[in-house]
Amino acid sequence: MMASRAFLSHLSRSGAIRSPRGLRSKGVMRSLSTAPQMESPSSVVIDRHSAATPPVYAGSGRLPNDVNERNALYAEEESREMGGVIATVRHDWTKQEIAEIYSLPFHDLMYRASTVHRMYWDPSEVQQCTLLSIKTGGCTEDCSYCSQSVRHKTFVKPTPTMKVQEVLEAARRAKEAGSTRFCMGAAWRELGNKQNAFNHILDMVRGVNSMGLEVCCTLGMLTSEQAKQLKEAGLSAYNHNLDTSPEHYPKVITTRSYEDRLQTIANVRDAGISVCCGGILGLGEEDNDRVGLLHVLATLPEHPESVPINALVAVEGTPLGEEDDIDRVDAFDMARMIATARIVMPRTMVRLSAGRMSFSHAEQYLMFQAGANSIFNGDKLLTTANPEFDEDQAMFQKFGFRGKPAHKGPLLAPAESTGRVQITKYEAKKEQYA
């Protein structure tokens, strides 16, 4: 894996990166610099103020749980500033801009990401999710990292879909242990015509939802109609990762196209279900591929509600498990990816996911400081080990963290409620005087 400085140098020589410059969007002058910027003559500042708690949420101290309602609350907001760092929610990022952020000196990147995190979130609140494999093994896909593919000889043996009551019992245990979002995964390429199995899954979703838990599924490709039925059953979120950049993807998977994945994400989003979509580090990708993945996510019509960042857990018998020349993903790789995701998608939850067991508490703290505010806990992530509930609770206590309650929005950022964040609103002159 190329060092970040070498990567930036390569892009500079090739012309892919130029010196930072102002970028116009919606009549607003933006810059990657944290220094004060000159305003565009084609725009006027209609409001710049110290943030205060939105009156409607002042009592609870929480924002709406629905991500669209939450984002609508700040629809007129252009940017935020604190500690010399300017942040904005954008969907027009260029790959060059994201590469510049990703390649910042580590200390500078961490400062920016940590500051952005505090402008938009309460850093002491972390969402806890539990993932259960309700159908293990037997998948027809050829994902080169996956132990559940029938194309690879691994320790995983195919099992039938779990019974509804078995799943609900697992959800009860997760809730008792402190988890507030329960995710169910099935090793399928797609739901397809599995109507009987789909009916059982709808029952699982209804049952878990009735316990007061948020419900997430990852079931492969979905049609728009299937997404609508899941929404009606009470599904909160759907996970469908892009894994890596469009360019590197064919080297990892050949049985499902990148466009297939994007279509499922669109079907989920159109059904009103929150999108959970991220990727995996350690697939033999270069830094440019990590930037490419973030660029796709940050330029979606709506940023994902959550972005899981996984470190490959190499499994013997899979193609990537047999590769000796792939660099191991370390805590700095994870922190750099999480920090960049936090800066370019400020209102998105960034989830520390698979591979967490390989990192010490100190290394995980580095990742939380980079902007992670969600984790998977429990003893397994599909087929790979994960820290147990008790260990995570001890870590939370050590860090001063608390879990985010189910079906409740995130806490308002203390920096916002105390007025330390400067919020700027812009309006183009032609719009103002129309």
Side-chain angles (χ1 to χ4, degrees):
M1 192 68 63
M2 292 186 298
S4 297
R5 286 184 180 274
F7 167 59
L8 182 58
S9 177
H10 165 74
L11 290 178
S12 298
R13 290 195 301 272
S14 65
I17 286 185
R18 297 179 292 277
S19 59
R21 79 273 187 254
L23 295 164
R24 292 184 186 276
S25 176
K26 300 179 184 177
V28 179
M29 182 71 83
R30 295 193 181 93
S31 172
L32 292 175
S33 172
T34 58
Q37 301 298 317
M38 296 298 294
E39 293 160 12
S40 166
S42 63
S43 63
V44 293
V45 177
I46 61 171
D47 187 21
R48 178 178 287 126
H49 65 281
S50 295
T53 306
V56 69
Y57 302 110
S60 67
R62 291 189 177 277
L63 296 170
N65 191 45
D66 182 85
V67 65
N68 294 320
E69 184 182 348
R70 193 159 67 238
N71 290 340
L73 191 65
Y74 299 100
E76 296 180 355
E77 181 178 306
E78 180 56 37
S79 65
R80 293 187 169 205
E81 182 175 2
M82 185 174 76
V85 175
I86 300 172
T88 184
V89 178
R90 294 173 47 191
H91 300 268
D92 61 349
W93 290 98
T94 66
K95 193 172 179 181
Q96 170 196 327
E97 290 177 288
I98 297 175
E100 289 173 346
I101 294 169
Y102 180 89
S103 301
L104 284 169
F106 190 73
H107 69 91
D108 192 13
L109 177 64
M110 287 293 291
Y111 173 73
R112 283 190 62 177
S114 183
T115 304
V116 171
H117 189 45
R118 282 157 175 75
M119 279 195 267
Y120 290 87
W121 301 88
D122 183 331
S124 71
E125 185 173 69
V126 178
Q127 182 190 51
Q128 299 173 89
C129 311
T130 298
L131 178 59
L132 175 71
S133 179
I134 62 172
K135 165 65 179 75
T136 304
C139 182
T140 59
E141 299 272 33
D142 68 351
C143 306
S144 57
Y145 55 81
C146 187
S147 61
Q148 304 198 63
S149 171
V150 295
R151 300 164 188 254
H152 313 321
K153 293 183 179 180
T154 70
F155 69 93
V156 175
K157 304 302 179 186
T159 62
T161 305
M162 292 176 65
K163 304 292 185 183
V164 174
Q165 288 306 314
E166 292 176 326
V167 172
L168 297 184
E169 180 55 37
R172 289 188 190 95
R173 292 196 301 270
K175 181 178 181 180
E176 290 171 0
S179 187
T180 57
R181 176 173 286 191
F182 190 74
C183 306
M184 297 175 284
W188 290 324
R189 166 182 162 79
E190 58 188 343
L191 269 172
N193 296 318
K194 304 176 183 70
Q195 192 56 50
N196 189 49
F198 187 41
N199 288 336
H200 288 158
I201 288 171
L202 292 174
D203 287 339
M204 295 173 191
V205 171
R206 295 185 189 101
V208 175
N209 186 50
S210 70
M211 296 179 192
L213 288 168
E214 295 177 9
V215 197
C216 177
C217 282
T218 177
L219 311 168
M221 292 186 287
L222 285 184
T223 65
S224 58
E225 181 57 33
Q226 289 165 339
K228 290 175 185 175
Q229 291 182 58
L230 285 166
K231 172 66 174 177
E232 291 169 359
L235 191 71
S236 308
Y238 194 85
N239 168 258
H240 202 62
N241 288 337
L242 292 174
D243 291 346
T244 187
S245 70
E247 294 78 13
H248 189 63
Y249 183 87
K251 300 175 184 177
V252 180
I253 304 157
T254 66
T255 51
R256 186 192 316 184
S257 71
Y258 212 77
E259 186 56 42
D260 287 336
R261 292 181 182 260
L262 290 171
Q263 185 58 57
T264 290
I265 292 168
N267 291 341
V268 168
R269 184 175 60 242
D270 292 346
I273 299 170
S274 294
V275 173
C276 171
C277 183
I280 306 171
L281 305 190
L283 302 179
E285 76 282 355
E286 301 289 345
D287 283 340
N288 190 50
D289 295 305
R290 296 177 182 181
V291 169
L293 169 63
L294 292 174
H295 178 246
V296 174
L297 295 172
T299 55
L300 288 171
E302 295 175 11
H303 291 165
E305 182 238 16
S306 55
V307 170
I309 304 296
N310 300 271
L312 176 68
V313 179
V315 177
E316 185 177 353
T318 63
L320 285 173
E322 305 297 327
E323 291 278 354
D324 295 327
D325 58 345
I326 293 179
D327 293 339
R328 178 183 173 275
V329 175
D330 64 26
F332 292 96
D333 293 323
M334 291 289 287
R336 186 171 289 278
M337 190 71 170
I338 289 167
T340 308
R342 171 54 63 222
I343 292 169
V344 301
M345 294 175 282
R347 293 198 184 278
T348 290
M349 280 194 164
V350 181
R351 184 168 296 122
L352 181 53
S353 301
R356 189 163 66 88
M357 192 174 183
S358 65
F359 300 113
S360 68
H361 283 186
E363 289 174 321
Q364 290 182 59
Y365 184 74
L366 181 70
M367 298 171 206
F368 288 120
Q369 286 297 295
N373 58 347
S374 178
I375 62 168
F376 273 120
N377 57 15
D379 59 355
K380 275 193 176 182
L381 277 181
L382 294 181
T383 60
T384 59
N386 197 51
E388 295 184 357
F389 287 112
D390 290 346
E391 183 180 341
D392 283 333
Q393 294 311 306
M395 181 181 71
F396 270 39
Q397 186 173 10
K398 184 186 299 181
F399 295 166
F401 289 169
R402 52 185 161 179
K404 175 186 174 295
H407 295 297
K408 291 187 178 180
L411 287 167
L412 194 70
E416 180 178 353
S417 62
T418 58
R420 286 180 287 149
V421 176
Q422 291 290 315
I423 294 179
T424 301
K425 298 179 181 179
Y426 285 100
E427 182 177 282
K429 283 184 178 179
K430 62 181 180 181
E431 295 174 353
Q432 185 185 23
Y433 299 113

PDB file of all heavy atoms in Angstrom, residues 397-426:
ATOM      1  N   GLN A 397     -17.304   2.510  29.273  1.00  0.00           N
ATOM      2  CA  GLN A 397     -17.124   3.143  30.580  1.00  0.00           C
ATOM      3  C   GLN A 397     -15.756   3.817  30.667  1.00  0.00           C
ATOM      4  O   GLN A 397     -15.626   4.929  31.198  1.00  0.00           O
ATOM      5  CB  GLN A 397     -17.287   2.104  31.686  1.00  0.00           C
ATOM      6  CG  GLN A 397     -17.264   2.697  33.086  1.00  0.00           C
ATOM      7  CD  GLN A 397     -17.590   1.670  34.153  1.00  0.00           C
ATOM      8  OE1 GLN A 397     -17.656   0.480  33.881  1.00  0.00           O
ATOM      9  NE2 GLN A 397     -17.796   2.126  35.379  1.00  0.00           N
ATOM     10  N   LYS A 398     -14.752   3.160  30.133  1.00  0.00           N
ATOM     11  CA  LYS A 398     -13.393   3.715  30.144  1.00  0.00           C
ATOM     12  C   LYS A 398     -13.331   5.028  29.351  1.00  0.00           C
ATOM     13  O   LYS A 398     -12.653   5.979  29.751  1.00  0.00           O
ATOM     14  CB  LYS A 398     -12.430   2.691  29.546  1.00  0.00           C
ATOM     15  CG  LYS A 398     -10.968   3.088  29.579  1.00  0.00           C
ATOM     16  CD  LYS A 398     -10.111   2.068  28.826  1.00  0.00           C
ATOM     17  CE  LYS A 398     -10.196   0.684  29.447  1.00  0.00           C
ATOM     18  NZ  LYS A 398      -9.345  -0.292  28.737  1.00  0.00           N
ATOM     19  N   PHE A 399     -14.037   5.071  28.213  1.00  0.00           N
ATOM     20  CA  PHE A 399     -13.999   6.245  27.336  1.00  0.00           C
ATOM     21  C   PHE A 399     -15.009   7.322  27.735  1.00  0.00           C
ATOM     22  O   PHE A 399     -14.970   8.430  27.190  1.00  0.00           O
ATOM     23  CB  PHE A 399     -14.286   5.833  25.893  1.00  0.00           C
ATOM     24  CG  PHE A 399     -13.240   4.928  25.276  1.00  0.00           C
ATOM     25  CD1 PHE A 399     -13.516   4.242  24.096  1.00  0.00           C
ATOM     26  CD2 PHE A 399     -11.994   4.758  25.850  1.00  0.00           C
ATOM     27  CE1 PHE A 399     -12.572   3.414  23.513  1.00  0.00           C
ATOM     28  CE2 PHE A 399     -11.038   3.929  25.286  1.00  0.00           C
ATOM     29  CZ  PHE A 399     -11.338   3.248  24.107  1.00  0.00           C
ATOM     30  N   GLY A 400     -15.936   6.987  28.653  1.00  0.00           N
ATOM     31  CA  GLY A 400     -16.985   7.946  28.996  1.00  0.00           C
ATOM     32  C   GLY A 400     -18.083   8.003  27.964  1.00  0.00           C
ATOM     33  O   GLY A 400     -18.768   9.036  27.830  1.00  0.00           O
ATOM     34  N   PHE A 401     -18.284   6.912  27.223  1.00  0.00           N
ATOM     35  CA  PHE A 401     -19.310   6.855  26.188  1.00  0.00           C
ATOM     36  C   PHE A 401     -20.626   6.344  26.761  1.00  0.00           C
ATOM     37  O   PHE A 401     -20.667   5.668  27.783  1.00  0.00           O
ATOM     38  CB  PHE A 401     -18.885   5.925  25.051  1.00  0.00           C
ATOM     39  CG  PHE A 401     -17.773   6.457  24.186  1.00  0.00           C
ATOM     40  CD1 PHE A 401     -17.146   5.623  23.263  1.00  0.00           C
ATOM     41  CD2 PHE A 401     -17.362   7.773  24.261  1.00  0.00           C
ATOM     42  CE1 PHE A 401     -16.120   6.090  22.456  1.00  0.00           C
ATOM     43  CE2 PHE A 401     -16.335   8.257  23.468  1.00  0.00           C
ATOM     44  CZ  PHE A 401     -15.717   7.412  22.552  1.00  0.00           C
ATOM     45  N   ARG A 402     -21.689   6.635  26.050  1.00  0.00           N
ATOM     46  CA  ARG A 402     -23.005   6.074  26.363  1.00  0.00           C
ATOM     47  C   ARG A 402     -23.650   5.631  25.055  1.00  0.00           C
ATOM     48  O   ARG A 402     -23.373   6.180  23.988  1.00  0.00           O
ATOM     49  CB  ARG A 402     -23.883   7.111  27.065  1.00  0.00           C
ATOM     50  CG  ARG A 402     -23.966   8.441  26.331  1.00  0.00           C
ATOM     51  CD  ARG A 402     -24.741   9.476  27.124  1.00  0.00           C
ATOM     52  NE  ARG A 402     -24.452  10.828  26.669  1.00  0.00           N
ATOM     53  CZ  ARG A 402     -25.017  11.912  27.182  1.00  0.00           C
ATOM     54  NH1 ARG A 402     -25.892  11.785  28.154  1.00  0.00           N
ATOM     55  NH2 ARG A 402     -24.696  13.116  26.740  1.00  0.00           N
ATOM     56  N   GLY A 403     -24.528   4.653  25.153  1.00  0.00           N
ATOM     57  CA  GLY A 403     -25.170   4.136  23.954  1.00  0.00           C
ATOM     58  C   GLY A 403     -26.328   5.011  23.508  1.00  0.00           C
ATOM     59  O   GLY A 403     -27.030   5.613  24.325  1.00  0.00           O
ATOM     60  N   LYS A 404     -26.533   5.086  22.205  1.00  0.00           N
ATOM     61  CA  LYS A 404     -27.674   5.823  21.654  1.00  0.00           C
ATOM     62  C   LYS A 404     -28.933   4.969  21.798  1.00  0.00           C
ATOM     63  O   LYS A 404     -28.946   3.809  21.385  1.00  0.00           O
ATOM     64  CB  LYS A 404     -27.425   6.140  20.180  1.00  0.00           C
ATOM     65  CG  LYS A 404     -28.597   6.807  19.471  1.00  0.00           C
ATOM     66  CD  LYS A 404     -28.322   6.950  17.985  1.00  0.00           C
ATOM     67  CE  LYS A 404     -29.551   7.479  17.248  1.00  0.00           C
ATOM     68  NZ  LYS A 404     -30.699   6.541  17.273  1.00  0.00           N
ATOM     69  N   PRO A 405     -30.014   5.504  22.370  1.00  0.00           N
ATOM     70  CA  PRO A 405     -31.250   4.725  22.520  1.00  0.00           C
ATOM     71  C   PRO A 405     -31.881   4.405  21.162  1.00  0.00           C
ATOM     72  O   PRO A 405     -31.688   5.137  20.182  1.00  0.00           O
ATOM     73  CB  PRO A 405     -32.168   5.652  23.334  1.00  0.00           C
ATOM     74  CG  PRO A 405     -31.265   6.673  23.925  1.00  0.00           C
ATOM     75  CD  PRO A 405     -30.132   6.840  22.973  1.00  0.00           C
ATOM     76  N   ALA A 406     -32.633   3.324  21.107  1.00  0.00           N
ATOM     77  CA  ALA A 406     -33.338   2.946  19.879  1.00  0.00           C
ATOM     78  C   ALA A 406     -34.490   3.907  19.611  1.00  0.00           C
ATOM     79  O   ALA A 406     -35.119   4.426  20.535  1.00  0.00           O
ATOM     80  CB  ALA A 406     -33.865   1.522  19.998  1.00  0.00           C
ATOM     81  N   HIS A 407     -34.764   4.136  18.332  1.00  0.00           N
ATOM     82  CA  HIS A 407     -35.904   4.940  17.888  1.00  0.00           C
ATOM     83  C   HIS A 407     -35.887   6.356  18.447  1.00  0.00           C
ATOM     84  O   HIS A 407     -36.926   7.005  18.557  1.00  0.00           O
ATOM     85  CB  HIS A 407     -37.232   4.253  18.236  1.00  0.00           C
ATOM     86  CG  HIS A 407     -37.438   2.958  17.509  1.00  0.00           C
ATOM     87  ND1 HIS A 407     -37.545   2.886  16.140  1.00  0.00           N
ATOM     88  CD2 HIS A 407     -37.540   1.685  17.961  1.00  0.00           C
ATOM     89  CE1 HIS A 407     -37.719   1.613  15.778  1.00  0.00           C
ATOM     90  NE2 HIS A 407     -37.703   0.873  16.866  1.00  0.00           N
ATOM     91  N   LYS A 408     -34.720   6.829  18.824  1.00  0.00           N
ATOM     92  CA  LYS A 408     -34.565   8.213  19.245  1.00  0.00           C
ATOM     93  C   LYS A 408     -33.437   8.839  18.446  1.00  0.00           C
ATOM     94  O   LYS A 408     -32.436   8.184  18.159  1.00  0.00           O
ATOM     95  CB  LYS A 408     -34.271   8.312  20.749  1.00  0.00           C
ATOM     96  CG  LYS A 408     -35.449   7.924  21.622  1.00  0.00           C
ATOM     97  CD  LYS A 408     -35.166   8.201  23.087  1.00  0.00           C
ATOM     98  CE  LYS A 408     -36.378   7.854  23.946  1.00  0.00           C
ATOM     99  NZ  LYS A 408     -36.132   8.116  25.390  1.00  0.00           N
ATOM    100  N   GLY A 409     -33.603  10.084  18.096  1.00  0.00           N
ATOM    101  CA  GLY A 409     -32.592  10.757  17.310  1.00  0.00           C
ATOM    102  C   GLY A 409     -31.333  10.999  18.113  1.00  0.00           C
ATOM    103  O   GLY A 409     -31.310  10.840  19.342  1.00  0.00           O
ATOM    104  N   PRO A 410     -30.260  11.386  17.442  1.00  0.00           N
ATOM    105  CA  PRO A 410     -29.001  11.657  18.148  1.00  0.00           C
ATOM    106  C   PRO A 410     -29.100  12.894  19.022  1.00  0.00           C
ATOM    107  O   PRO A 410     -29.913  13.789  18.782  1.00  0.00           O
ATOM    108  CB  PRO A 410     -28.010  11.870  17.000  1.00  0.00           C
ATOM    109  CG  PRO A 410     -28.842  12.344  15.856  1.00  0.00           C
ATOM    110  CD  PRO A 410     -30.154  11.628  15.989  1.00  0.00           C
ATOM    111  N   LEU A 411     -28.283  12.920  20.044  1.00  0.00           N
ATOM    112  CA  LEU A 411     -28.199  14.106  20.896  1.00  0.00           C
ATOM    113  C   LEU A 411     -27.699  15.296  20.082  1.00  0.00           C
ATOM    114  O   LEU A 411     -26.872  15.148  19.182  1.00  0.00           O
ATOM    115  CB  LEU A 411     -27.250  13.860  22.064  1.00  0.00           C
ATOM    116  CG  LEU A 411     -27.743  12.945  23.182  1.00  0.00           C
ATOM    117  CD1 LEU A 411     -26.574  12.558  24.085  1.00  0.00           C
ATOM    118  CD2 LEU A 411     -28.857  13.615  23.980  1.00  0.00           C
ATOM    119  N   LEU A 412     -28.212  16.446  20.388  1.00  0.00           N
ATOM    120  CA  LEU A 412     -27.702  17.662  19.772  1.00  0.00           C
ATOM    121  C   LEU A 412     -26.247  17.842  20.181  1.00  0.00           C
ATOM    122  O   LEU A 412     -25.881  17.591  21.333  1.00  0.00           O
ATOM    123  CB  LEU A 412     -28.523  18.861  20.241  1.00  0.00           C
ATOM    124  CG  LEU A 412     -28.344  20.169  19.463  1.00  0.00           C
ATOM    125  CD1 LEU A 412     -28.942  20.050  18.079  1.00  0.00           C
ATOM    126  CD2 LEU A 412     -29.013  21.310  20.229  1.00  0.00           C
ATOM    127  N   ALA A 413     -25.408  18.234  19.252  1.00  0.00           N
ATOM    128  CA  ALA A 413     -23.989  18.427  19.564  1.00  0.00           C
ATOM    129  C   ALA A 413     -23.833  19.497  20.649  1.00  0.00           C
ATOM    130  O   ALA A 413     -24.379  20.597  20.508  1.00  0.00           O
ATOM    131  CB  ALA A 413     -23.238  18.850  18.308  1.00  0.00           C
ATOM    132  N   PRO A 414     -23.112  19.202  21.728  1.00  0.00           N
ATOM    133  CA  PRO A 414     -22.896  20.218  22.768  1.00  0.00           C
ATOM    134  C   PRO A 414     -22.297  21.507  22.213  1.00  0.00           C
ATOM    135  O   PRO A 414     -22.632  22.604  22.678  1.00  0.00           O
ATOM    136  CB  PRO A 414     -21.934  19.522  23.733  1.00  0.00           C
ATOM    137  CG  PRO A 414     -22.232  18.065  23.579  1.00  0.00           C
ATOM    138  CD  PRO A 414     -22.533  17.900  22.120  1.00  0.00           C
ATOM    139  N   ALA A 415     -21.428  21.373  21.215  1.00  0.00           N
ATOM    140  CA  ALA A 415     -20.819  22.574  20.630  1.00  0.00           C
ATOM    141  C   ALA A 415     -21.863  23.443  19.943  1.00  0.00           C
ATOM    142  O   ALA A 415     -21.732  24.672  19.886  1.00  0.00           O
ATOM    143  CB  ALA A 415     -19.730  22.169  19.627  1.00  0.00           C
ATOM    144  N   GLU A 416     -22.925  22.804  19.446  1.00  0.00           N
ATOM    145  CA  GLU A 416     -24.011  23.565  18.823  1.00  0.00           C
ATOM    146  C   GLU A 416     -24.921  24.188  19.873  1.00  0.00           C
ATOM    147  O   GLU A 416     -25.268  25.369  19.786  1.00  0.00           O
ATOM    148  CB  GLU A 416     -24.822  22.649  17.898  1.00  0.00           C
ATOM    149  CG  GLU A 416     -25.984  23.356  17.205  1.00  0.00           C
ATOM    150  CD  GLU A 416     -26.739  22.456  16.250  1.00  0.00           C
ATOM    151  OE1 GLU A 416     -26.302  21.318  16.017  1.00  0.00           O
ATOM    152  OE2 GLU A 416     -27.799  22.896  15.738  1.00  0.00           O
ATOM    153  N   SER A 417     -25.298  23.409  20.876  1.00  0.00           N
ATOM    154  CA  SER A 417     -26.240  23.909  21.881  1.00  0.00           C
ATOM    155  C   SER A 417     -25.641  25.011  22.748  1.00  0.00           C
ATOM    156  O   SER A 417     -26.365  25.834  23.297  1.00  0.00           O
ATOM    157  CB  SER A 417     -26.723  22.758  22.765  1.00  0.00           C
ATOM    158  OG  SER A 417     -25.649  22.177  23.478  1.00  0.00           O
ATOM    159  N   THR A 418     -24.305  25.051  22.865  1.00  0.00           N
ATOM    160  CA  THR A 418     -23.659  26.085  23.682  1.00  0.00           C
ATOM    161  C   THR A 418     -23.190  27.280  22.859  1.00  0.00           C
ATOM    162  O   THR A 418     -22.564  28.196  23.397  1.00  0.00           O
ATOM    163  CB  THR A 418     -22.455  25.488  24.437  1.00  0.00           C
ATOM    164  OG1 THR A 418     -21.533  24.921  23.493  1.00  0.00           O
ATOM    165  CG2 THR A 418     -22.896  24.410  25.411  1.00  0.00           C
ATOM    166  N   GLY A 419     -23.479  27.256  21.558  1.00  0.00           N
ATOM    167  CA  GLY A 419     -23.168  28.412  20.721  1.00  0.00           C
ATOM    168  C   GLY A 419     -21.727  28.510  20.262  1.00  0.00           C
ATOM    169  O   GLY A 419     -21.298  29.562  19.784  1.00  0.00           O
ATOM    170  N   ARG A 420     -20.951  27.442  20.390  1.00  0.00           N
ATOM    171  CA  ARG A 420     -19.553  27.492  19.953  1.00  0.00           C
ATOM    172  C   ARG A 420     -19.407  27.308  18.451  1.00  0.00           C
ATOM    173  O   ARG A 420     -18.350  27.584  17.891  1.00  0.00           O
ATOM    174  CB  ARG A 420     -18.740  26.431  20.692  1.00  0.00           C
ATOM    175  CG  ARG A 420     -18.449  26.780  22.146  1.00  0.00           C
ATOM    176  CD  ARG A 420     -17.640  25.704  22.819  1.00  0.00           C
ATOM    177  NE  ARG A 420     -18.437  24.507  23.094  1.00  0.00           N
ATOM    178  CZ  ARG A 420     -17.957  23.281  23.120  1.00  0.00           C
ATOM    179  NH1 ARG A 420     -16.684  23.067  22.850  1.00  0.00           N
ATOM    180  NH2 ARG A 420     -18.744  22.260  23.397  1.00  0.00           N
ATOM    181  N   VAL A 421     -20.462  26.824  17.802  1.00  0.00           N
ATOM    182  CA  VAL A 421     -20.432  26.618  16.352  1.00  0.00           C
ATOM    183  C   VAL A 421     -21.026  27.837  15.659  1.00  0.00           C
ATOM    184  O   VAL A 421     -22.112  28.295  16.016  1.00  0.00           O
ATOM    185  CB  VAL A 421     -21.234  25.365  15.957  1.00  0.00           C
ATOM    186  CG1 VAL A 421     -21.278  25.214  14.449  1.00  0.00           C
ATOM    187  CG2 VAL A 421     -20.635  24.124  16.590  1.00  0.00           C
ATOM    188  N   GLN A 422     -20.302  28.369  14.679  1.00  0.00           N
ATOM    189  CA  GLN A 422     -20.819  29.463  13.861  1.00  0.00           C
ATOM    190  C   GLN A 422     -21.504  28.857  12.636  1.00  0.00           C
ATOM    191  O   GLN A 422     -20.882  28.123  11.864  1.00  0.00           O
ATOM    192  CB  GLN A 422     -19.689  30.392  13.422  1.00  0.00           C
ATOM    193  CG  GLN A 422     -19.075  31.206  14.549  1.00  0.00           C
ATOM    194  CD  GLN A 422     -20.022  32.275  15.072  1.00  0.00           C
ATOM    195  OE1 GLN A 422     -20.648  32.986  14.291  1.00  0.00           O
ATOM    196  NE2 GLN A 422     -20.129  32.374  16.385  1.00  0.00           N
ATOM    197  N   ILE A 423     -22.794  29.146  12.447  1.00  0.00           N
ATOM    198  CA  ILE A 423     -23.560  28.622  11.318  1.00  0.00           C
ATOM    199  C   ILE A 423     -23.809  29.734  10.323  1.00  0.00           C
ATOM    200  O   ILE A 423     -24.248  30.830  10.697  1.00  0.00           O
ATOM    201  CB  ILE A 423     -24.891  28.010  11.790  1.00  0.00           C
ATOM    202  CG1 ILE A 423     -24.623  26.774  12.652  1.00  0.00           C
ATOM    203  CG2 ILE A 423     -25.774  27.643  10.608  1.00  0.00           C
ATOM    204  CD1 ILE A 423     -25.864  26.097  13.187  1.00  0.00           C
ATOM    205  N   THR A 424     -23.507  29.476   9.074  1.00  0.00           N
ATOM    206  CA  THR A 424     -23.687  30.466   8.015  1.00  0.00           C
ATOM    207  C   THR A 424     -24.718  29.971   7.017  1.00  0.00           C
ATOM    208  O   THR A 424     -24.704  28.808   6.611  1.00  0.00           O
ATOM    209  CB  THR A 424     -22.368  30.736   7.276  1.00  0.00           C
ATOM    210  OG1 THR A 424     -21.401  31.208   8.212  1.00  0.00           O
ATOM    211  CG2 THR A 424     -22.549  31.768   6.170  1.00  0.00           C
ATOM    212  N   LYS A 425     -25.630  30.884   6.627  1.00  0.00           N
ATOM    213  CA  LYS A 425     -26.617  30.582   5.597  1.00  0.00           C
ATOM    214  C   LYS A 425     -26.403  31.536   4.428  1.00  0.00           C
ATOM    215  O   LYS A 425     -26.200  32.735   4.621  1.00  0.00           O
ATOM    216  CB  LYS A 425     -28.037  30.731   6.152  1.00  0.00           C
ATOM    217  CG  LYS A 425     -28.347  29.774   7.299  1.00  0.00           C
ATOM    218  CD  LYS A 425     -29.745  29.987   7.826  1.00  0.00           C
ATOM    219  CE  LYS A 425     -30.031  29.042   8.987  1.00  0.00           C
ATOM    220  NZ  LYS A 425     -31.394  29.243   9.540  1.00  0.00           N
ATOM    221  N   TYR A 426     -26.447  30.996   3.240  1.00  0.00           N
ATOM    222  CA  TYR A 426     -26.264  31.794   2.040  1.00  0.00           C
ATOM    223  C   TYR A 426     -27.513  31.736   1.182  1.00  0.00           C
ATOM    224  O   TYR A 426     -28.251  30.752   1.202  1.00  0.00           O
ATOM    225  CB  TYR A 426     -25.111  31.248   1.190  1.00  0.00           C
ATOM    226  CG  TYR A 426     -23.735  31.549   1.714  1.00  0.00           C
ATOM    227  CD1 TYR A 426     -23.023  30.594   2.411  1.00  0.00           C
ATOM    228  CD2 TYR A 426     -23.152  32.776   1.483  1.00  0.00           C
ATOM    229  CE1 TYR A 426     -21.746  30.841   2.870  1.00  0.00           C
ATOM    230  CE2 TYR A 426     -21.869  33.045   1.943  1.00  0.00           C
ATOM    231  CZ  TYR A 426     -21.178  32.075   2.632  1.00  0.00           C
ATOM    232  OH  TYR A 426     -19.914  32.324   3.087  1.00  0.00           O
TER     233      TYR A 426
END
